[in-house]
Amino acid sequence: MSISKSRSGFTLVELLVVIAIIGVLIALLLPAVQQAREAARRTQCVSNIKNVALAIHNYHDTYRNLPYLGFSGWAGDTISWEGRILPFLEQNAIYDTLDWTDRVNGGRNPIYRGTSLSVMSCPSDNMTIGELNSDGTLGSWSHQRASYAVCVGNTNYAQHDANNWDGLWTYKNGGSAFRMDKIFNLAVVTDGTSNTVMLGEVPVNQTTSGWQGGYAVTIFSNGAGFTGYLTPNTKSSVDGGRRCWNPNDYPTHKIPCHSSGNWESATYAAFSMHPGGVNVGNFDGSVSFVPETIDIWTWRAMTSTGGGEVISK
């Protein structure tokens, strides 16, 4: 008498069908997971900007002026606004180590130079420290980088007020509450604190072996700000504002390398790794997302503190 055996397992065709179905499900699910992760990163970035904006406001309430951007002495190699607001970010231990009589590049500010702060770091970007030793340890010239810089107005970094300065473009400095060698308070924000950008995101140099590229080095006066002359996420520059010597300085941001220019004439644009635009903090402490498709004149009006422009929304 024959005994029939029940079949167990899958045939090859059935197995391939199951694998195909799983692949389709993963393909459908992965974008949603990535979007959820990016949404969480953007939320954290917004929270960081909110905390930094609050720290700047608390500094203003204490000293009756906004934190000093820095001075042009020592080629701008001075402690920036970021160092001044450290106590208002609960970073008194770092603040107490600062030597204000020395260049920020000097050997007496190693802790400030080498410490990265999570509140200054956008989780959507890759944070790096420049000029590490060959073994990956901090060196005497190492410097931390950050994701947020203050806005220095619709102009270049030195805030020139010029027409046809490069033979191609024209700009007019509509005012800024952050300027080298000068200290201002909120009274200069005559365009309205809710209409004017105070700080925003900047791209982080990915090269750990050098200092090239002024973006995101907010410990320095000459890396602590961006300009509103170019719209957010602009990958070109009208001058040497993104000066670098290594084409891999900004590979994740796809920003081209420029081999000439200097930081004073730089037109550093706001830039983020968030798709479609950048997060900015306004002078009233609010945070908003600015699309990279924003009209350039609207953006320039938003980044000047006293230009008197009418912003259409």
Side-chain angles (χ1 to χ4, degrees), residues 18-262:
V18 171
I19 292 175
I21 293 174
I22 293 174
V24 171
L25 292 175
I26 292 175
L28 293 174
L29 183 62
L30 189 59
V33 172
Q34 292 175 333
Q35 290 176 2
R37 288 177 176 174
E38 169 55 24
R41 290 192 292 264
R42 184 181 294 185
T43 298
Q44 182 59 52
C45 188
V46 168
S47 176
N48 288 347
I49 294 176
K50 186 74 174 179
N51 286 331
V52 175
L54 180 62
I56 292 175
H57 271 272
N58 287 337
Y59 180 99
H60 184 277
D61 290 343
T62 301
Y63 297 105
R64 313 311 301 170
N65 56 257
L66 293 164
Y68 194 26
L69 181 65
F71 63 93
S72 55
W74 298 330
D77 187 11
T78 61
I79 297 172
S80 73
W81 62 271
E82 184 185 348
R84 289 169 167 80
I85 67 169
L86 286 174
F88 304 96
L89 292 172
E90 298 183 347
Q91 297 295 331
N92 297 73
I94 300 176
Y95 182 82
D96 291 340
T97 69
L98 293 177
D99 185 341
W100 299 94
T101 67
D102 192 21
R103 297 163 61 103
V104 70
N105 243 343
R108 288 176 288 191
N109 287 301
I111 296 177
Y112 177 55
R113 288 176 57 85
T115 305
S116 292
L117 302 178
S118 59
V119 72
M120 293 293 295
S121 306
C122 177
S124 290
D125 210 341
N126 298 316
M127 304 311 298
T128 59
I129 294 182
E131 296 184 273
L132 292 174
N133 292 328
S134 58
D135 61 357
T137 59
L138 292 173
S140 58
W141 292 90
S142 296
H143 55 274
Q144 49 95 356
R145 291 162 175 155
S147 300
Y148 314 117
V150 295
C151 181
V152 299
N154 167 31
T155 178
N156 62 8
Y157 193 88
Q159 301 187 7
H160 298 128
D161 187 357
N163 294 321
N164 203 34
W165 69 277
D166 61 355
L168 296 174
W169 284 272
T170 299
Y171 58 58
K172 174 100 174 159
N173 179 16
S176 172
F178 299 98
R179 188 164 186 158
M180 296 284 281
D181 300 318
K182 293 183 180 295
I183 299 177
F184 299 103
N185 58 34
L186 287 173
V188 303
V189 190
T190 57
D191 286 350
T193 56
S194 63
N195 295 326
T196 309
V197 174
M198 178 168 65
L199 73 155
E201 297 180 86
V202 289
V204 177
N205 189 326
Q206 300 299 298
T207 302
T208 60
S209 60
W211 66 270
Q212 296 93 327
Y215 272 135
V217 190
T218 55
I219 61 172
F220 297 105
S221 291
N222 61 7
F226 73 91
T227 71
Y229 182 62
L230 300 172
T231 50
N233 292 348
T234 300
K235 292 184 174 64
S236 61
S237 179
V238 298
D239 58 13
R242 298 193 178 96
R243 183 175 183 176
C244 58
W245 286 261
N246 187 332
N248 294 320
D249 281 349
Y250 301 102
T252 56
H253 308 84
K254 310 300 182 186
I255 299 176
C257 177
H258 293 261
S259 59
S260 62
N262 61 74

